[in-house]
Amino acid sequence: MKKTLYLKFILAYFIFGVFGFVITSAFVPNMIKNHLIREKAEVLYSEATLIANTYAGGLYTSETTLETVKNQLDALSIYLSSTIRIINPSGRLVLDTNMRLNVDDVIMVKDFDPTTIQGTYYDVGPYYDAYDGDVINVIAPITSDFKVKGYVVIYSSMTDIEQSAAGLLNISYVILIVLLMLSMIILIFFTEMVYIPLKKITYATEQYASGNMHYEFQVDSEDEIGYLAACLSFMASEIARAEDDQKKFVANVSHDFRSPLTSIRGYLEAMLDGTIPPEMHEKYLTIVLNETQRLTKLTNSLLTLNNLNTKGMMIDKRDFDLNDVVRKTAATFEGTCRSKNMGIELILTGDVLYAHADVDKIQQVLYNLIDNAIKFSHQNTSIRVETSVKKNKIFVSVKDTGIGIPKDDLKMIWERFYKSDSSRGKDKKGTGLGLSIVKEIVKAHGEHINVISTLGVGSEFIFSLQKALKESEED
Ligand code: ADP
């Protein structure tokens, strides 16, 4: 059988119960009895001493008569529910509250030996000829002129003590049962708050381990166990999401590779089997070349994204002149602009504007944004790249008056492989990776990027950069 935590807990509970009963029945009766005997003995001894010093003492100094003492001791013996005796050192019984006073008869107490209880003030056992069973007895000497004249002996039956002890023992058992029942509450709490949630968590972990990452479970507690369950559930959902992303990513990559490859293959086959006549080859080879360029671009973008993801914050921040980088990047689009009859307007702050960032990566951001701006603009328009400074931040804006982005697409444009439907006609080479690379780079710098766009009017992308201290030194 599986040794579950629950079984162990129940076993511990039973051991606790059994031990409780064993200890209670083995030690408690003796402890109670001894305590009651000691208490009773103390009372009897102090009475015996009192009698020895008062009534009985007076007897030996003839201050009182035997009858008077007998009457007084009779009353006291009823009060103490004991028998009181006065015995001479020789063992002769002078007075016994259980007997009538008879001075003529000489009664000797058999084997009377007061030294038996020397050292302690009381003794428990069969008392001479007095009782059948055990009694508790105390002896106090009656002294006068430093001589022992006699003894006051009080003995009391053990029945009372035994009855009280039995009563107290019963109370102990009742307390033990109540304790066991109360500790049952702990068991119930343990089941509800630890065992059941733990079982749920274990089952969920087994499900996740077997690959069922979409398994859902609920633990409604706000303690550590609830937190553990929530963390586990969150971890599984993150893994599931990563798996889904991975699948989507591979599907997208495959799709984006397959379509140019299919068209390349189609054109090449057509050229080889003569469907495309040799005089048309140049036209179709140009298309093939374009498709290979698209594949190269896709591969490069994938590599860039992969590097950004795996290396995370591998950003080599340095101070550089942002204006210079903007100018150089804009210049690379000269050919494209000329063919579309477009212009790039640069509105730059100062002659030099030092930023503190990874120059290559920022150049890539600018390249992607300007590339998009040109791609999605109409002919004979111009785009505007502007830098501005606010406190220790630089803001770079790339603005076009192109097709704009539909409102519903604005959130999605940052996702990998996303291409809005409206853009497909204008941009056949697009991979849908440009903006996700831009976003990753800006994020890796700890900065932000935003887009403002109106469909049919144009778009503006603005991102922030850290201003270099160097420039302020030069100011
Ligand atoms: P692509 O490489 O295909 O351009 P991006 O990630 O750069 O991919 O862009 C994703 C989508 O965002 C584009 O397909 C387009 O729909 C939209 N988009 C990006 N920039 C602009 C822009 N300046 N004007 C209009 N739409 C844009």
Side-chain angles (χ1 to χ4, degrees):
M1 201 166 84
K2 215 165 129 190
K3 280 186 189 156
T4 62
L5 199 61
Y6 196 56
L7 269 180
K8 285 181 189 170
F9 211 78
I10 290 199
L11 196 72
Y13 181 72
F14 273 103
I15 291 174
F16 170 67
V18 170
F19 264 92
F21 271 106
V22 169
I23 289 170
T24 310
S25 48
F27 300 107
V28 176
N30 263 345
M31 282 161 69
I32 293 175
K33 208 166 152 185
N34 287 343
H35 176 76
L36 290 176
I37 289 173
R38 212 175 311 117
E39 241 183 13
K40 177 97 182 175
E42 264 169 31
V43 173
L44 292 184
Y45 185 72
S46 59
E47 288 299 331
T49 328
L50 194 77
I51 294 166
N53 291 340
T54 54
Y55 314 119
L59 196 65
Y60 283 96
T61 50
S62 305
E63 280 167 23
T64 42
T65 61
L66 200 57
E67 283 83 16
T68 324
V69 175
K70 166 88 165 92
N71 287 341
Q72 285 162 338
L73 293 190
D74 277 350
L76 207 58
S77 77
I78 292 165
Y79 170 68
L80 293 173
S81 33
S82 324
T83 305
I84 305 171
R85 283 177 160 188
I86 295 175
I87 303 171
N88 275 347
S90 60
R92 184 185 165 182
L93 186 69
V94 180
L95 186 152
D96 187 327
T97 52
N98 265 358
M99 293 181 206
R100 287 168 60 90
L101 202 59
N102 190 348
V103 266
D104 303 327
D105 285 349
V106 176
I107 302 169
M108 296 301 287
V109 180
K110 245 194 285 165
D111 306 325
F112 176 70
D113 182 7
T115 55
T116 49
I117 56 168
Q118 251 174 19
T120 58
Y121 55 87
Y122 70 95
D123 184 30
V124 177
Y127 179 68
Y128 313 113
D129 52 354
Y131 283 102
D132 292 340
D134 281 352
V135 293
I136 168 168
N137 74 85
V138 295
I139 295 183
I142 306 162
T143 46
S144 168
D145 298 335
F146 305 106
K147 273 190 192 150
V148 176
K149 302 279 186 196
Y151 294 96
V152 174
V153 178
I154 306 181
Y155 52 89
S156 175
S157 143
M158 286 288 285
T159 334
D160 283 355
I161 286 178
E162 264 152 18
Q163 271 171 3
S164 302
L168 285 176
L169 188 64
N170 284 342
I171 292 172
S172 311
Y173 282 127
V174 171
I175 291 172
L176 185 69
I177 289 167
V178 170
L179 271 181
L180 279 175
M181 274 157 65
L182 285 178
S183 49
M184 192 78 136
I185 295 174
I186 299 175
L187 194 72
I188 294 167
F189 262 88
F190 168 79
T191 313
E192 281 293 319
M193 297 190 165
V194 180
Y195 183 65
I196 294 176
L198 215 56
K199 252 189 119 175
K200 281 188 190 171
I201 292 173
T202 316
Y203 184 72
T205 318
E206 280 168 6
Q207 290 295 316
Y208 297 148
S210 63
N212 179 12
M213 286 298 169
H214 292 281
Y215 176 77
E216 280 179 13
F217 73 106
Q218 191 138 12
V219 172
D220 299 317
S221 63
E222 282 171 16
D223 51 16
E224 285 82 348
I225 291 200
Y227 186 62
L228 173 71
C231 285
L232 193 71
S233 179
F234 179 67
M235 185 195 79
S237 69
E238 284 295 293
I239 294 175
R241 206 170 58 95
E243 266 180 12
D244 290 348
D245 282 357
Q246 190 90 358
K247 277 188 196 149
K248 229 173 16 188
F249 185 75
V250 172
N252 282 330
V253 171
S254 315
H255 174 266
D256 276 53
F257 267 94
R258 208 189 297 135
S259 34
L261 280 175
T262 317
S263 73
I264 289 171
R265 200 179 145 190
Y267 290 130
L268 290 179
E269 274 174 358
M271 277 186 244
L272 279 177
D273 64 18
T275 318
I276 297 174
E279 61 270 22
M280 299 282 278
H281 278 190
E282 198 186 331
K283 181 187 168 192
Y284 287 100
L285 280 176
T286 314
I287 298 175
V288 167
L289 194 65
N290 273 341
E291 289 294 60
T292 57
Q293 275 170 357
R294 189 175 155 201
L295 282 177
T296 315
K297 193 179 164 194
L298 184 65
T299 318
N300 286 342
S301 300
L302 283 173
L303 283 175
T304 313
L305 260 184
N306 200 40
N307 281 347
L308 283 173
N309 279 355
T310 49
K311 291 180 187 160
M313 294 291 131
M314 281 293 281
I315 291 288
D316 182 18
K317 282 189 181 177
R318 261 178 289 161
D319 293 351
F320 64 91
D321 178 11
L322 182 67
N323 287 348
D324 188 41
V325 174
V326 173
R327 274 188 215 106
K328 279 182 182 156
T329 317
T332 59
F333 289 96
E334 227 179 83
T336 330
C337 285
R338 206 177 299 128
S339 63
K340 280 185 92 175
N341 199 21
M342 284 180 64
I344 303 180
E345 193 186 338
L346 303 181
I347 305 173
L348 307 175
T349 307
D351 284 343
V352 284
L353 178 59
Y354 282 99
H356 185 69
D358 187 321
V359 60
D360 293 334
K361 302 240 161 51
I362 295 307
Q363 189 158 19
Q364 167 111 56
V365 169
L366 279 167
Y367 185 92
N368 288 5
L369 293 180
I370 299 173
D371 187 38
N372 280 349
I374 295 172
K375 267 193 313 197
F376 300 112
S377 283
H378 309 291
Q379 289 201 340
N380 309 318
T381 55
S382 72
I383 62 162
R384 202 172 76 188
V385 183
E386 191 176 342
T387 56
S388 57
V389 177
K390 257 183 214 151
K391 292 186 181 166
N392 59 343
K393 291 277 176 202
I394 299 173
F395 293 89
V396 185
S397 138
V398 178
K399 191 174 178 181
D400 63 62
T401 48
I403 60 168
I405 305 166
K407 210 175 157 201
D408 294 343
D409 290 359
L410 276 176
K411 266 191 192 143
M412 264 109 74
I413 56 169
W414 309 104
E415 284 174 18
R416 289 173 191 185
F417 296 106
Y418 184 78
K419 289 189 244 178
S420 81
D421 289 340
S422 53
S423 73
R424 288 183 200 275
K426 277 215 165 291
D427 169 43
K428 294 204 175 64
K429 279 194 205 161
T431 57
L433 292 173
L435 285 183
S436 48
I437 293 175
V438 165
K439 180 105 187 180
E440 292 280 351
I441 294 175
V442 175
K443 212 168 83 183
H445 277 80
E447 299 294 339
H448 300 279
I449 180 156
N450 257 315
V451 58
I452 307 160
S453 185
T454 314
L455 196 62
V457 177
S459 316
E460 183 177 9
F461 287 82
I462 308 164
F463 65 95
S464 60
L465 279 179
Q466 193 186 330
K467 200 176 145 207
L469 292 170
K470 191 175 173 179
E471 201 196 16
S472 54
E473 280 164 17
E474 282 183 4
D475 281 347

